[in-house]
Amino acid sequence: MLLNCMAKVLLVNPPFYRLLGSKYNANSLGIAYIASYLNKRGHDAWLYNADYVSDYGYIKIKKIFSNFNSYKDYFQDKDNAIWHEVKDNIIRFKPDWVGYTSYTANISAIKIISDHVKKANPSIKQVVGGVHATLDSDILNTLTSIDYSVQREGEEAFTALVENKNPKFIPGVVSRDKGGILFKTGIAPVIKNIDNLPMPERNKFWNIPEHERKNVDVSYVNTIRGCPYKCTYCASPFHWDRKTTRLRSPESVLEEMHLLKDNYYVPTKYDYAASANIDQKDQLKIEDNTIVYFVDDVFTVKKKRVKDMLRMMIKDKLNMRWKCEARADHLDDEICELMAEAGCERVKIGFESGSNRILSEVKKLETREEMLKGADMLKRAGVPFSAYFMAGFPGETDDDLKETIDFAKKVDADYYSLSVLAPYYGTELYDQLMKNGHELDQQPWEYFFHQSPKPMVNDKLSTKVLSEYLALAELNTKSKKKRGYI
């Protein structure tokens, strides 16, 4: 049913990577789905990515770590030009409604921007949704210029707000009564059949000239909502509720891949997987829309479904390059061989640690032996893979981290991504630390991301061993030379 009363809606991905000297040029799928849902109902919803920069350069992780101090300065200066730039772009759109996607590290940015927007035009209704808003039902006490928050899936709840339904009767919406006290309706119900959702918005990008829209990476695809696992450092089990993991059908996924190929996909021989095209010492050059990225928490959750999708890609002769997130213990030789034949350019595997003790404590439900077996299967099939590791877990010792360093070298990945643990709000790990008296809540929200260079919850690791861990990034260049990329 189309509506007579069309609303103008701007859905915002706030700046984060720009503050670190980098950028994020991808289509943010959470708000892209909400935009398409609203547009199907007859509204005029656009996407504004305030992290977008119109070039192909991406700084390396090592450089992001080193930019941490300048990153912090932005939040000390609430009148910095970047905040006014974002506010001005929002006001210029003349929206009836503004929606922000949130995660813990960008709450401070949303606070600053929403305060500026309210001061410039108090008639604009502002809403926050996403991961942090779902995990923190009291977030409106912090974001005082925002009118509503949405907990969990936003398509139905946000649309109901835009269509002027009473917020006290919209499941998933937090509002304020006349005295400023928060009124909560609980978590939004899950959308059971996600095949029925319209494809995410990929055309209506605010503040990006028409000739630059090809720079927006719209090749991100989500095939699963949720994750059935319970790693203590991950917010997904609480954000989605791990008991409600839903999977799109292979037919629905292939329909979206055909849509991408027919309208957006740019075939190229550019080696995205190895990020080998380097113009500057601290920069990677990456062209967008040249590879499909399945952004599910774990693409490989069900083996039969994965094999069905891969066989369909091969049968349809899509010839599209793609990458995904996977668990090593989900792999078998057949899956790896099908991945290679179906065009898989890279599998991203969260190994996290090389210490079985740490893996057990964080409820990874994998051992280093199982993970190494999965890595070996990928190598036999000729499928490139990235290895993701973290340091700074509570109780982690130098010996544990040395095991991670040795294991990382043994894995012999094509690419290494290194992080220092940030215990995200709403994770089991965060709750455990708070229960044990750690003053995590005294840390500014903007510090909660994996490239904060100093361990937040571990004072046992020596600077020497932590430096050896971060030096694993140099293996990226060695891997490229070994495989003939450079």
Side-chain angles (χ1 to χ4, degrees), residues 6 109 111 113 153 234 279 339 351 385 411 417 437 443 475:
M6 180 187 75
K111 168 67 175 171
I113 294 165
E153 291 171 278
C234 179
D279 280 348
M339 281 179 163
F351 295 102
F385 68 96
V411 161
S417 182
Q443 292 272 17
L475 292 176

Side-chain angles (χ1 to χ4, degrees), residues 409-474:
K409 293 175 181 177
K410 192 171 184 180
V411 161
D412 189 26
D414 296 88
Y415 188 82
Y416 291 83
S417 182
L418 310 173
S419 299
V420 176
L421 175 74
Y424 291 156
Y425 180 86
T427 63
E428 181 179 339
L429 181 56
Y430 182 97
D431 292 342
Q432 287 175 347
L433 288 163
M434 290 295 294
K435 186 177 180 179
N436 292 336
H438 200 288
E439 294 184 346
L440 275 175
D441 56 344
Q442 303 303 310
Q443 292 272 17
W445 286 131
E446 62 268 20
Y447 290 14
F448 286 79
F449 71 106
H450 286 338
Q451 274 72 51
S452 299
K454 184 179 179 181
M456 295 178 72
V457 296
N458 185 308
D459 57 5
K460 294 183 178 180
L461 294 175
S462 68
T463 302
K464 178 177 181 294
V465 177
L466 189 61
S467 297
E468 290 175 11
Y469 162 76
L470 294 174
L472 288 170
E474 303 304 320

Side-chain angles (χ1 to χ4, degrees), residues 116-399:
H116 281 304
V117 169
K118 185 170 184 178
K119 183 177 180 180
N121 187 346
S123 69
I124 296 172
K125 294 294 184 184
Q126 299 189 79
V127 184
V128 63
V131 179
H132 192 98
T134 295
L135 300 172
D136 183 1
S137 63
D138 293 326
I139 193 59
L140 293 184
N141 288 332
T142 298
L143 304 178
T144 52
S145 293
I146 289 188
D147 301 283
Y148 307 102
S149 71
V150 174
Q151 295 189 273
R152 202 162 285 157
E153 291 171 278
E155 288 88 354
E156 294 175 347
F158 193 97
T159 300
L161 282 171
V162 167
E163 295 177 358
N164 297 314
K165 304 288 173 55
N166 187 332
K168 293 185 177 181
F169 298 101
I170 305 174
V173 169
V174 180
S175 58
R176 296 185 183 89
D177 64 20
K178 291 181 179 179
I181 305 300
L182 300 187
F183 186 90
K184 305 175 185 180
T185 61
I187 295 290
V190 299
I191 297 171
K192 293 181 180 178
N193 188 347
I194 56 177
D195 277 6
N196 291 337
L197 289 170
M199 298 295 180
E201 179 61 53
R202 289 187 166 97
N203 296 305
K204 299 172 74 172
F205 298 113
W206 179 244
N207 199 50
I208 298 178
E210 186 70 35
H211 69 277
E212 285 187 17
R213 298 217 175 144
K214 61 181 174 53
N215 294 347
V216 180
D217 195 345
V218 299
S219 57
Y220 284 30
V221 175
N222 182 225
T223 82
I224 300 172
R225 286 198 173 184
C227 176
Y229 292 93
K230 54 181 180 180
C231 304
T232 64
Y233 52 82
C234 179
S236 184
F238 301 90
H239 173 221
W240 289 110
D241 182 357
R242 56 187 291 266
K243 297 176 183 177
T244 64
T245 300
R246 288 144 291 145
L247 291 73
R248 287 172 61 188
S249 66
E251 291 78 12
S252 173
V253 176
L254 266 290
E255 179 187 353
E256 186 166 8
M257 292 188 75
H258 278 286
L259 182 147
L260 285 172
K261 184 173 184 179
D262 293 343
N263 296 281
Y264 308 100
Y265 186 73
V266 182
T268 177
K269 292 184 179 180
Y270 172 74
D271 181 39
Y272 194 114
S275 298
N277 191 349
I278 301 173
D279 280 348
Q280 301 176 29
K281 184 176 180 181
D282 292 318
Q283 192 175 69
L284 308 175
K285 184 178 179 183
I286 297 175
E287 297 184 29
D288 298 317
N289 296 311
T290 61
I291 184 168
V292 174
Y293 182 11
F294 295 110
V295 295
D296 312 314
D297 288 332
V298 189
F299 177 70
T300 51
V301 164
K302 287 194 175 181
K303 286 187 177 182
K304 182 182 183 305
R305 173 180 175 270
V306 172
K307 291 177 182 179
D308 286 345
M309 281 193 291
L310 297 177
R311 291 189 182 107
M312 290 170 72
M313 292 179 202
I314 295 165
K315 181 183 176 183
D316 287 3
K317 297 181 180 179
L318 280 174
N319 296 318
M320 298 175 77
R321 298 155 65 243
W322 55 274
K323 60 182 178 179
C324 69
E325 318 270 341
R327 281 177 61 100
D329 61 343
H330 285 172
L331 303 175
D332 59 33
D333 285 321
E334 184 182 16
I335 285 179
C336 294
E337 289 163 6
L338 286 170
M339 281 179 163
E341 189 177 354
C344 183
E345 191 81 3
R346 183 176 7 151
V347 176
K348 301 168 75 172
I349 299 181
F351 295 102
E352 315 310 357
S353 176
S355 163
N356 278 333
R357 183 181 75 85
I358 295 296
L359 290 170
S360 175
E361 287 188 0
V362 300
K363 300 182 181 178
K364 180 69 176 170
L365 302 183
E366 283 180 290
T367 64
R368 56 180 285 157
E369 292 76 23
E370 290 172 319
M371 295 191 295
L372 187 59
K373 183 179 178 181
D376 287 342
M377 283 189 274
L378 288 169
K379 282 186 276 191
R380 284 199 299 271
V383 178
F385 68 96
S386 294
Y388 285 70
F389 289 98
M390 280 196 284
F393 292 103
E396 186 177 23
T397 65
D398 279 357
D399 287 341

